[in-house]
Amino acid sequence: MTSSTLPPESRRSSAPQPRASWVQERADLDRTTLRPRRDRLGHEPPPASPPGTLVIDDTRRPKIFVIDYDAEVVSEKEIERVDECIPYLTDDRPSITWVDVRGLGHKATFERLGEIFRVHPLALEDMVNVPQRPKADVYGGEHILIIARMAQVHERCVLRTEQLAILVGRTFVLTVQEEADWDVMEVVRERIRAGRGKIRERGADYLAYALLDAVVDGFFPVLERLGEHIEDLEIEVLDAKRRMSKPIHDLKRDLLTLRRAIWPQRDLVNALLREDNPLISKDTRLYLRDTYDHAVQLMDMVETYRELSSGLMDLHLSGISNRMNEIMKVLTIISTIFLPVTAIAGIYGMNFHHESSPFNMPELDWYYGYPFVWGLMLASVVGLLTYYRRKGWLRKDKDDDGA
Amino acid sequence: MTSSTLPPESRRSSAPQPRASWVQERADLDRTTLRPRRDRLGHEPPPASPPGTLVIDDTRRPKIFVIDYDAEVVSEKEIERVDECIPYLTDDRPSITWVDVRGLGHKATFERLGEIFRVHPLALEDMVNVPQRPKADVYGGEHILIIARMAQVHERCVLRTEQLAILVGRTFVLTVQEEADWDVMEVVRERIRAGRGKIRERGADYLAYALLDAVVDGFFPVLERLGEHIEDLEIEVLDAKRRMSKPIHDLKRDLLTLRRAIWPQRDLVNALLREDNPLISKDTRLYLRDTYDHAVQLMDMVETYRELSSGLMDLHLSGISNRMNEIMKVLTIISTIFLPVTAIAGIYGMNFHHESSPFNMPELDWYYGYPFVWGLMLASVVGLLTYYRRKGWLRKDKDDDGA
Amino acid sequence: MTSSTLPPESRRSSAPQPRASWVQERADLDRTTLRPRRDRLGHEPPPASPPGTLVIDDTRRPKIFVIDYDAEVVSEKEIERVDECIPYLTDDRPSITWVDVRGLGHKATFERLGEIFRVHPLALEDMVNVPQRPKADVYGGEHILIIARMAQVHERCVLRTEQLAILVGRTFVLTVQEEADWDVMEVVRERIRAGRGKIRERGADYLAYALLDAVVDGFFPVLERLGEHIEDLEIEVLDAKRRMSKPIHDLKRDLLTLRRAIWPQRDLVNALLREDNPLISKDTRLYLRDTYDHAVQLMDMVETYRELSSGLMDLHLSGISNRMNEIMKVLTIISTIFLPVTAIAGIYGMNFHHESSPFNMPELDWYYGYPFVWGLMLASVVGLLTYYRRKGWLRKDKDDDGA
Amino acid sequence: MTSSTLPPESRRSSAPQPRASWVQERADLDRTTLRPRRDRLGHEPPPASPPGTLVIDDTRRPKIFVIDYDAEVVSEKEIERVDECIPYLTDDRPSITWVDVRGLGHKATFERLGEIFRVHPLALEDMVNVPQRPKADVYGGEHILIIARMAQVHERCVLRTEQLAILVGRTFVLTVQEEADWDVMEVVRERIRAGRGKIRERGADYLAYALLDAVVDGFFPVLERLGEHIEDLEIEVLDAKRRMSKPIHDLKRDLLTLRRAIWPQRDLVNALLREDNPLISKDTRLYLRDTYDHAVQLMDMVETYRELSSGLMDLHLSGISNRMNEIMKVLTIISTIFLPVTAIAGIYGMNFHHESSPFNMPELDWYYGYPFVWGLMLASVVGLLTYYRRKGWLRKDKDDDGA
Amino acid sequence: MTSSTLPPESRRSSAPQPRASWVQERADLDRTTLRPRRDRLGHEPPPASPPGTLVIDDTRRPKIFVIDYDAEVVSEKEIERVDECIPYLTDDRPSITWVDVRGLGHKATFERLGEIFRVHPLALEDMVNVPQRPKADVYGGEHILIIARMAQVHERCVLRTEQLAILVGRTFVLTVQEEADWDVMEVVRERIRAGRGKIRERGADYLAYALLDAVVDGFFPVLERLGEHIEDLEIEVLDAKRRMSKPIHDLKRDLLTLRRAIWPQRDLVNALLREDNPLISKDTRLYLRDTYDHAVQLMDMVETYRELSSGLMDLHLSGISNRMNEIMKVLTIISTIFLPVTAIAGIYGMNFHHESSPFNMPELDWYYGYPFVWGLMLASVVGLLTYYRRKGWLRKDKDDDGA
């Protein structure tokens, strides 16, 4: 039996957006907003603060959702006050309770959370102060704190990442999300609601695995989008229609952000695999090995994309040089056609007095003088163009258009 | 005694194609198909899915081939339904059964396969969901799952890779190929049919080794083709007849694809070597050491080719700059010849009235005025050209053609 | 109860300066001072000297501050002579004594310090001779010497670093700062004065941890400033208003300096974590793990910024080439407009005598000769410009301005 | 007592060739032979083959030499049939027998060798199929197979490498060389013949060490030649007399080849050192440490040369750009001199009718009109050249020649 | 009591030279000597030779100095024959004997040294054959052979390195220097003579440490010089007065040389630290840890300088491109001023007969025709220059000078 007190619009979707032209979108974005990157990449940590201090914006109150389930029953509810989740934790049924806190803010809420779940001050600090580097820490043999980072390609093709803290206990999982408006864990919620797979029959460690797996797998569509973006850039770089160095630089930035998110997540899964922790059953460990493989595969992709984006810059620079060559060739050919003509015409525009000397420009009186000069001009132009054709300059010019 | 129910045309060849001009072929290909690279490199993984879920296109039915052999008898058959392979597995004879599934599709087939061979759900997921990173995993001490990746230079000089899953049991080997139309394992089939070597006398672990060895050795002709391709590119870059940055970028992409395939395969062979697994006999381990050496050698080649292809880009860029220099020199020389002539002719084309002043262009009345001006023009042109010759500009121009 | 003998102005602030334009400030600085970098980066070690020798400038006397506290009482005092700190160390109360020596100088002071605290000669040498590489060494199981490096973005946007030596004993901490006028430890002093957190209840190892944490966290605002600086540079590089290679080079230098400071500090925290040292309690070790995470995060940021700054150089170089292309296009277009006109006008400026031959420039007598020539000129110019427009040269020119 | 049945000309020399101009030689070579590099670098491995298969060209018969020695006697002989070496192996004397097979070919010979020395099929395959990656493998505790690679700078300055397989038994060493016409082991033969050093008093392991040492030391003259080559290239790049990108690319290729040869050889010596193998005595191990040091030193040199050759490419590219600047300056100066002259002359070549208006070119009637115009021309040219001189363009031009 | 038989001039100084302009000095040097680098970097190892063979130039006889000391007495003497040092080694006093051999040459001397000190043949070979890679080897538990490399910035700003072999026994230290005319060990000699520090009270291991420390610390002034050199180059690159690619390349070469010297020295100190060698006391090990820190710091500096020198090359290349842009702009502006003037003047220099048609150049008869044409010329020039000013070309030109 499944009971859900959630209105349908509160079920957040992690479905991939329809694909728009990344580059175009981003260019528009950069134009409308003055400094869009600062906010996106501004995951810089807060200045020095004493350990255990919570740096929390007090104005926004986080939303709190509770999902409590065992093999037979699921109940799902949004609660207003933190204390409302206590009954789920202390009831007699051996159910798994997942408390999902969306958004950071309202210090009192988090301090109360810390008391209810008996979180170590340092653990609470890491859950609340963003950004933390992804990691997995054991506190007192009772709790595992997993700091992960979710990624999403947002609307208008902006890469967004968000911290997710997963605190695993024996019968509960507490998750704290940095932002309230999106996550990648809806697939897990659906599986719990539908009773698909074994998730309803297993413990809190399996739920934590499922969440971690959703986070790691959530990077695949992001990297897929970036892969398509790289291919678009390749075509655009070869077309050379626009200035490409900014988009390529932005791509590199995004890949750096992803690498910073994925690399330590691979390490944390590995740490969970290796450590002999009683909280994680041997069976769940087998599934974590799968997650580890995915994280390694993600790292492979990021590194491959980084190399490809370096190659893009080379392509771009060589394209600029090629266009320079083309411009120079056109300039040279135009000079070649008109400079000899001007020079020859200039010679026969001199005013030497032919009455003063028989040597003074007798050509001007020749019967075929004027046609002869035309011939001279044509000959010099044709001669030079033939020389260029032999060098392959004229042919290549065509090739450049066709390529 | 060998019995084969296969028509001869179903025996797939892994013979190397006759060598065409890689670059030309690929250029043609890029022109005819709009986005050929997407498909080739589009081995991106599927979005997040619960563990054990099979993502299978249901329309295409895979082909299934069974080869059952012991030291004396070989029987080879294409079967229609999965259940037809059960007799081979359960008969009394201690024969080795190789079930080769070609192509992914038709979910029911794979679910039935999973039941017959008692495959772990995670193992089945890895066999069916492509692409997986190459790896070797042990499931329950009974099965080893090897995920490998085969490579081939396809017709029209396109690099293709395909996932091969090898599930090794005590008396059987189950292989699942991503695509139905090619593989690199025909050499092993021939050896089984012909009874060459020791393959017919050994167990399933030796068959798995032989397949893995065929996969790894299948990269050698691919890298050989790439090596020839690099040498062709070197000559073309020095000839500078065409735009080379695109082919070099494609080459780097192919090398990245190969590295992503070979590197983890080296690791998986190493893992098989080191782990103390009862399924792999000590004798087979000796042969696997040989496969490991080959994988290391492949990595050496890929890294060497990657460095060479970086060098190619440098060659290319320096070639562009050299050509720019050449163009500039021609422009400078042409300007040098005609600008002084134009200037001098312009001077003597002025209309100063010599009747107004004796200083007003008395040259126009000189007896040898006109020849003198010609001499002046010639002198300035010859003087400048001599200066250039001393700088070595004229000489080098010739050298560039000859080189 | 808290007693403080310090005048308020001696409390040094580590608050972040208001943000000015880094680039502009630095450019001004470089102009006014001849060689500002030498001093900033001149942390080169002294030439070879026998071990245990103190290389101390004898003219400047360091300032010495003592903070002595336990859970109830804090007393803070600036002392004139070293020996004044002896009572704090030898009194009966189990209080923690923090002796903070600001500035190097006056050899006798340091020799006396060495005697009072029984510092190993090599440890004393490392505390006094700057710069040392950050490290943590144990001396005789009694003392831990931590060499750290503090960083600050100084006024006028100059990055400054300063060595901090922390000698940890059972009941005291001795810190030696390289310079007397700034540090990043004021937050710790405030916490001791205010009795916030657990610092007053714990031992000398916790104080050492708090100082080390303040040093590491002090790098975050520095890197934040650098991150903003990188974003400013990105915008400036794309605007291409000024020569950017110098600021980018300076940025790389600063990042190298930071890497040299942070990398070994990560190692030293790790060494403190791993080593089984009786001086550091298990509880403090938990907090040090937090500091270690911060140091790793700093390294991530430095490496990311290093990659971004490399990308900036690429952006800059491609910008230079783009501008070159633009200039060449303008030159070519101007040549294209005026060279044909000059050539055609030159032809009809020739002086062939039309009375000598009917072929000699009959155009000069045509009724529409002059308009015809104008038409010819216009046609050639318009024809060439149309050719350029098709090539996209004119369009892109506009695009460049808009971008 | 030494008996030698070898004619003197069969003693191969490994003396360094007199030094010619590497670059020149190679350029000639590239011109005369169409694709010389293919052969040199064509050490690509054969396509997939079943293990233990010998891929041998059957037409050429290898030469076989036997050296049998103990402390007192040396006998040296070229044998026709493989079986002739059996008496040396089976005689009662505890002599060391070195069988040296030069050249691959004639399958039966190698199969017989395999039988006589009881070589493992995989070992025999590695000895015969080239190229193998250098390595050391132990077979059954009885044999060590060392695959090494010899290098030589051949005549006409071509780098050649050749595989050498060393199979070490208790009382024999079997060496198989890839090519019959050169090796680097003559120094060892000389030492055996002359009885110099301890080689005659020691076992087969010492002989194997001596051979391996000769192979490793044989790289030193090769790298010395490359070092000289790099210095030549440096001078040539600065002279900028020829196109240098091809020689630099070839140099990089050679260094890659050497690295591929030396790196695994270092590893194999290290493996021999570390493994506790009864075939290699503790004393020989001491000597192998020396060989290891040499191999490490070689790697250092190769890496240094690789960095230098990257620097060479930078030098080359900056040289091209410098020359471009120079050409542009000459073009600008020439334009500067003649364009103003042409423009001014053009103005006074206009045909305004001075009878129609007093404003129509009164200068043409001035008494000093013509000299005035000359002055105008001179002034504009001198003015611009002065401006350039201030910019340093004229001065630098000279500097470029002198540098 | 200290007795010294050395004349004062034989005391070699390792004081830093007064700082000259490195670049200028080196440029002079390169000009006067044809191939100065060959000698400096020509530390290439000798060709293959049998182990234990000494490759010694027999003409030059090394100088041998003996210092024998204990806590009370020091005696210092230059000896002519090797055997003269035997009394110092065999006397009853437990004094430390330091035999310092300066210069390689005279084979008999070294063979006798080998006998007297019972040096292992391989150790003797490494001491005498230069260059060896720095390392520390133990021979028979009795001797430690340390191969180190000293560096010095010689007069005329040339970087010189020299091999120093240190053989440590129980009561003696034997040092062999590659060259006789300089070393960096004078500071140690002074300390022995003056009895400063603990050197006189400790054993041979402490002397060896002191020598090694002097060698390592001797790199600091060298790197300081290089650091200054890099700053000079930065200023010169930005000034762009001279061709900078050669000095930058030389700088990289020097840094490679230093890295090759320092890296293995760090490893050798580390090896001495870790190995449990009875020859090195625990106390000396503490001091070696200090030396190790210095070596690590040196490596940091070398790596930082290497990155800075790469950045210098980028600065240089961007400077070249900037200057190219500047030249092109000047060319374009000059063309812009004079090409329109020439074209317009050319038009009114045509000879159309105005009597043939009223359309034939009526402007020539206009009253204000000539001033109108001047106006036309001025308007076109001013219009184009205004366009350039808007593009910022004229402004930036000024900026370039000022920067």
Side-chain angles (χ1 to χ4, degrees), chain A residues 202-203 205-206 277-286 288:
Chain A
R202 310 248 171 157
D205 60 334
Y206 190 89
N277 193 298
L279 280 174
I280 296 183
S281 69
K282 202 183 153 194
D283 194 64
T284 302
R285 238 171 268 257
L286 200 66
L288 276 173

Side-chain angles (χ1 to χ4, degrees), chain A residues 336-337 340-346 348 370-383, chain C residues 343-344 346-348 350 352:
Chain A
T336 298
I337 295 174
V341 169
T342 307
I344 293 167
Y348 293 103
Y370 187 54
F372 161 76
V373 166
W374 269 106
L376 206 66
M377 289 171 181
L378 275 174
S380 69
V381 170
V382 167
Chain C
I344 293 167
I347 288 169
Y348 294 102
M350 290 193 292
F352 280 95

Side-chain angles (χ1 to χ4, degrees), chain C residues 20 53 79 86 111 115 169 213 235 246 277 283 294 328 363:
Chain C
T53 318
I79 59 177
I86 297 178
E111 285 171 348
E115 287 167 25
D213 197 56
I235 289 166
K246 182 70 170 53
N277 193 299
D283 194 64
H294 289 185
M328 291 305 305
E363 304 96 323

Side-chain angles (χ1 to χ4, degrees), chain A residues 59-86:
Chain A
T59 55
R60 285 180 307 172
R61 232 188 150 90
K63 294 184 178 179
I64 306 177
F65 295 78
V66 178
I67 300 183
D68 189 86
Y69 66 88
D70 57 14
E72 278 113 49
V73 187
V74 173
S75 85
E76 191 170 1
K77 199 179 161 191
E78 177 169 2
I79 59 176
E80 287 299 312
R81 290 175 44 250
V82 182
D83 290 350
E84 291 176 45
C85 71
I86 297 178

Side-chain angles (χ1 to χ4, degrees), chain B residues 180-356:
Chain B
D181 57 333
W182 68 276
D183 64 23
V184 298
M185 298 183 292
E186 191 61 21
V187 284
V188 180
R189 285 188 206 101
E190 287 294 350
R191 270 157 63 196
I192 295 176
R193 286 175 202 132
R196 268 189 294 142
K198 301 167 189 161
I199 197 163
R200 292 262 290 273
E201 298 154 20
R202 309 248 172 157
D205 60 334
Y206 191 88
L207 176 58
Y209 146 72
L211 294 174
L212 201 52
D213 196 57
V215 168
V216 169
D217 281 4
F219 279 90
F220 279 110
V222 170
L223 277 169
E224 216 164 272
R225 284 297 300 274
L226 275 181
E228 286 166 0
H229 181 41
I230 288 174
E231 294 192 354
D232 290 347
L233 282 180
E234 266 176 36
I235 289 166
E236 289 203 52
V237 161
L238 292 171
D239 278 3
K241 287 274 150 59
R242 307 194 314 111
R243 283 206 170 184
M244 300 303 296
S245 40
K246 181 71 169 54
I248 296 170
H249 187 71
D250 287 349
L251 170 68
K252 284 184 176 179
R253 224 180 218 281
D254 284 349
L255 287 170
L256 281 173
T257 304
L258 287 173
R259 192 172 61 153
R260 276 219 284 169
I262 296 169
W263 194 281
Q265 277 183 139
R266 196 199 57 169
D267 291 347
L268 88 83
V269 178
N270 198 22
L272 289 176
L273 268 176
R274 276 185 333 227
E275 273 171 30
D276 192 24
N277 194 299
L279 280 174
I280 296 182
S281 70
K282 203 184 151 194
D283 194 63
T284 302
R285 237 171 269 257
L286 201 65
Y287 287 96
L288 276 174
R289 196 172 67 181
D290 197 58
T291 305
Y292 179 74
D293 288 342
H294 289 183
V296 171
Q297 204 169 3
L298 284 171
M299 276 316 305
D300 273 8
M301 289 172 78
V302 168
E303 292 306 321
T304 302
Y305 287 173
R306 273 165 49 83
E307 301 230 14
L308 285 176
S309 67
S310 293
L312 273 182
M313 205 58 170
D314 283 349
L315 266 191
H316 178 53
L317 288 175
S318 106
I320 293 177
S321 298
N322 267 321
R323 248 163 298 144
M324 172 85 84
N325 269 6
E326 206 181 339
I327 293 170
M328 292 305 305
K329 268 189 284 184
V330 167
L331 177 57
T332 304
I333 288 163
I334 283 174
S335 301
T336 298
I337 295 174
F338 294 112
L339 278 185
V341 169
T342 306
I344 293 167
I347 288 168
Y348 294 101
M350 291 195 290
N351 295 319
F352 279 94
H353 300 155
H354 59 112
E355 61 271 16
S356 309

Side-chain angles (χ1 to χ4, degrees), chain A residues 19 187 191 196 198 206 209 213-214 217-218 220-221 224 228 230-232 234-235 238 286-287 289-290 293-294 296-297 300-301 304-305 307-308 311-312 314-315 317-318 321-326 328-329 331-332 335-336 339-340 342-343 346-353 356-363 384 387-388 391 393 395-396 399-400 402-403, chain B residues 31 34-35 37-38 41 43-51 120-122 125-126 131-133 135 137-139 240-243 245-246 249-250 252-253 256 259-260 264 306 313 316-317 319-321 323-324 326-328 330-331 334-335 338-339 341-342 344-346 348-351 354 361 363-371 373-374 377 397 401:
Chain A
R19 187 179 170 229
V187 285
R191 270 158 63 198
R196 269 189 293 143
K198 301 168 190 160
Y206 190 89
Y209 146 72
D213 196 56
D217 281 5
F220 280 110
E224 216 164 90
E228 286 165 1
I230 289 174
E231 294 192 353
D232 290 347
E234 267 177 33
I235 289 167
L238 291 170
L286 200 66
Y287 288 96
R289 197 172 67 180
D290 197 59
D293 288 342
H294 290 185
V296 171
Q297 204 169 3
D300 272 10
M301 289 171 77
T304 302
Y305 288 172
E307 301 230 13
L308 285 177
L312 273 182
D314 284 349
L315 266 190
L317 288 174
S318 107
S321 297
N322 267 320
R323 248 163 299 145
M324 172 86 85
N325 269 7
E326 206 180 338
M328 292 304 306
K329 269 190 283 184
L331 177 57
T332 304
S335 302
T336 298
L339 278 185
T342 307
I347 288 168
Y348 293 103
M350 291 194 291
N351 294 319
F352 279 95
H353 300 154
S356 309
S357 154
F359 297 119
N360 274 358
M361 311 187 73
E363 304 96 324
L384 280 166
Y387 173 69
Y388 296 161
K391 288 216 147 213
W393 293 7
R395 173 169 43 71
K396 240 188 295 177
D399 226 315
D400 283 343
Chain B
R31 211 162 284 154
L34 196 66
R35 290 206 152 201
R37 299 211 69 93
R38 172 93 18 121
L41 267 179
H43 298 302
E44 270 80 45
S49 52
H120 191 282
L122 280 175
E125 188 196 347
D126 283 352
Q132 296 292 324
R133 198 169 187 263
K135 61 182 172 185
D137 282 334
V138 181
Y139 284 91
K241 287 274 150 59
R242 307 194 314 111
R243 283 206 170 184
S245 40
K246 181 71 169 54
H249 187 71
D250 287 349
K252 284 184 176 179
R253 224 180 218 281
L256 281 173
R259 192 172 61 153
R260 276 219 284 169
R306 273 165 49 83
M313 205 58 170
H316 178 53
L317 288 175
I320 293 177
S321 298
R323 248 163 298 144
M324 172 85 84
E326 206 181 339
I327 293 170
M328 292 305 305
V330 167
L331 177 57
I334 283 174
S335 301
F338 294 112
L339 278 185
V341 169
T342 306
I344 293 167
Y348 294 101
M350 291 195 290
N351 295 319
H354 59 112
M361 309 187 75
E363 304 95 323
L364 299 181
D365 281 319
W366 288 358
Y367 195 79
Y368 292 109
Y370 186 54
V373 166
W374 269 107
M377 290 169 181
D397 210 2
D401 281 346

